[in-house]
Amino acid sequence: MQPQHPPVLKIDRIHHVAYRCKDAKETVLWYQQMLKMDFVLAIAEDHVPSTKAPDPYMHVFMDAGSGNVLAFFELPTQPEMGRDLNTPVWVQHIAFRVKDRETLLAYRAHLDAQGVDVLGVTDHGAFHSIYFFDPNGHRVELACPDPDEEAMIKRLDAMKWDMLEDWSKTKRAPKHAAFLHEREFKQ
């Protein structure tokens, strides 16, 4: 008999990320039209499988590329959804990577043409982003790599523990990586 080896504890990838939505159909159609995501599947129950609580829901899944899935729950019997009022609106967001700046700018033009209010392009050094809100009030970011992304990520990797340690002691932004946003703040 072969000796049993415990499995290696390592996350493979995100299975899905789930958010609440106001209207499942509107959300699916918006993500199809605005971000060109395919509608993968829908699940609906009158009871929550994990808790067995009576709470009817529609759970929809969107293809976010490369095996990533973005999901939403519509909960018609729950109070109207809100957001954490103690967290600034810019903090909680869904970020998707696009191939390059040309694609990012094409999305920007597409969203503008559809009447979506878009912020950016913002230069984050290693990547460049645009920001907007979906019909549920969730902030969405599209980001493309900077031509120097690989070198910047290496540089950031080398200082991450020092930065974290400094932050944990002072709760003030360490300046190790100030080079990232130099171009953005010069504007």
Side-chain angles (χ1 to χ4, degrees):
M1 188 158 133
Q2 294 279 15
Q4 295 283 327
H5 296 290
V8 175
L9 297 178
K10 180 77 173 143
I11 300 295
D12 185 30
R13 65 178 173 89
I14 291 176
H15 185 273
H16 69 276
V17 175
Y19 288 85
R20 187 168 175 195
C21 67
K22 297 174 184 175
D23 181 292
K25 183 177 180 181
E26 174 189 48
T27 299
V28 165
L29 295 175
W30 191 89
Y31 277 86
Q32 280 184 320
Q33 180 182 5
M34 299 303 169
L35 298 184
K36 308 303 180 189
M37 289 185 183
D38 291 331
F39 180 32
V40 178
L41 59 93
I43 300 170
E45 296 287 352
D46 289 321
H47 291 80
V48 180
S50 59
T51 66
K52 312 301 185 270
D55 199 358
Y57 66 85
M58 172 58 71
H59 193 21
V60 295
F61 296 75
M62 306 301 295
D63 180 350
S66 299
N68 295 294
V69 176
L70 176 62
F72 293 93
F73 282 97
E74 182 180 342
L75 305 169
T77 64
Q78 294 295 325
E80 187 175 316
M81 64 183 271
R83 65 172 208 82
D84 176 3
L85 297 178
N86 293 323
T87 301
V89 70
W90 60 267
V91 173
Q92 294 178 348
H93 61 280
I94 310 164
F96 300 104
R97 182 179 173 115
V98 298
K99 180 181 175 185
D100 52 28
R101 189 171 179 89
E102 182 180 353
T103 304
L104 184 69
L105 295 175
Y107 263 112
R108 165 89 203 218
H110 168 68
L111 292 162
D112 283 339
Q114 300 298 315
V116 175
D117 186 22
V118 180
L119 175 66
V121 175
T122 300
D123 184 345
H124 292 292
F127 60 93
H128 306 257
S129 302
I130 59 173
Y131 300 91
F132 49 92
F133 290 90
D134 80 358
N136 306 295
H138 300 302
R139 191 174 200 223
V140 179
E141 175 183 4
L142 297 183
C144 71
D146 184 87
D148 294 326
E149 177 189 44
E150 191 175 325
M152 288 187 196
I153 296 298
K154 272 186 178 177
R155 197 168 162 195
L156 289 168
D157 182 57
M159 63 183 70
K160 65 188 175 199
W161 287 107
D162 290 338
M163 289 182 69
L164 185 60
E165 187 61 29
D166 287 355
W167 174 265
S168 71
K169 290 176 182 172
T170 67
K171 300 301 182 197
R172 302 184 86 164
K175 301 303 179 198
H176 302 68
F179 67 92
L180 270 180
H181 291 106
E182 283 177 344
R183 293 182 301 220
E184 182 65 30
F185 288 134
K186 280 184 183 176
Q187 295 179 13

